[in-house]
Amino acid sequence: PLAIVALGYRGADDWNALTNAALAGQEPPLKKAPGMKLSAGVVVREPDGRFWVVAPTNRFGGYDWVFPKGTVGQGMSLQATALCEALEESGLRVRITGLLGDFARTTSVCRYYLAERIGGSPAAMGWESQAVALAPLETLPGLLTAAADQPVLAAIRQVLSEQNASAASTMLEHAAPPSFLESAASEYL
């Protein structure tokens, strides 16, 4: 799309230069299944907890809503493909923050990354999408209804559960000891 060319991304080298090098060194190879293509995509979460989803044009692939993803292009890394697909399908520029997992889709095996939006606009979405939306976690099961989406949703819930447990543990580690709280309370009683 013209939006991509206007941003200066013209080929695999440009996209590959944007990847998360620290994560790339730790990634396992994506295993191709017989008869399946390799693809990559992103699950983009806003700071308020909502997720970006796209509606493929004419329900391509039978999907009502999906996370941006696409087939790995020649010379493109998995991360580069995910970044490119995010911009093409949602109009959003994103930064990869982690690895969600590898999932069997209808015609591909897809590596999904976790990402955050750093720019762009849904108004710049390409022809592959007919709509872009922000959706709270609790509404995703009603939007992402394909059987192939269910393991992705389960992985998202697992990551969020682990993040919440980690945050709670950190809060407990930094909480004031009970003896301090008791002595502070006694001063005011």
Side-chain angles (χ1 to χ4, degrees), residues 82-161:
L83 295 170
C84 180
E85 293 299 328
L87 186 59
E88 285 179 358
E89 295 182 5
S90 70
L92 303 177
R93 292 178 50 236
V94 303
R95 175 184 304 117
I96 291 175
T97 59
L99 173 63
L100 181 62
D102 299 340
F103 303 90
R105 306 295 295 171
T106 52
T107 62
S108 69
V109 177
C110 181
R111 169 151 303 158
Y112 273 112
Y113 295 95
L114 300 170
E116 61 187 7
R117 180 177 52 91
I118 58 171
S121 167
M125 71 181 175
W127 63 269
E128 294 179 51
S129 301
Q130 61 188 29
V132 178
L134 267 173
L137 176 65
E138 60 272 10
T139 65
L140 289 179
L143 297 172
L144 305 169
T145 57
D149 293 321
Q150 302 320 300
V152 179
L153 290 171
I156 292 167
R157 286 188 198 98
Q158 179 66 35
V159 166
L160 293 175
S161 174

Side-chain angles (χ1 to χ4, degrees), residues 10-22:
R10 291 188 172 81
D13 290 341
D14 292 332
W15 287 107
N16 288 330
L18 299 174
T19 61
N20 180 330

Side-chain angles (χ1 to χ4, degrees), residues 32-84:
K32 186 175 181 181
M36 302 283 262
K37 299 174 189 170
L38 296 180
S39 64
V42 289
V43 174
V44 183
R45 186 173 182 225
E46 286 292 316
D48 68 4
R50 293 179 297 166
F51 294 85
W52 288 98
V53 292
V54 297
T57 299
N58 297 323
R59 296 190 67 245
F60 183 79
Y63 295 106
D64 292 321
W65 293 93
V66 296
F67 293 113
K69 70 164 193 64
T71 303
V72 176
Q74 185 173 1
M76 302 262 290
S77 70
L78 293 168
Q79 287 189 40
T81 298
L83 295 170
C84 180

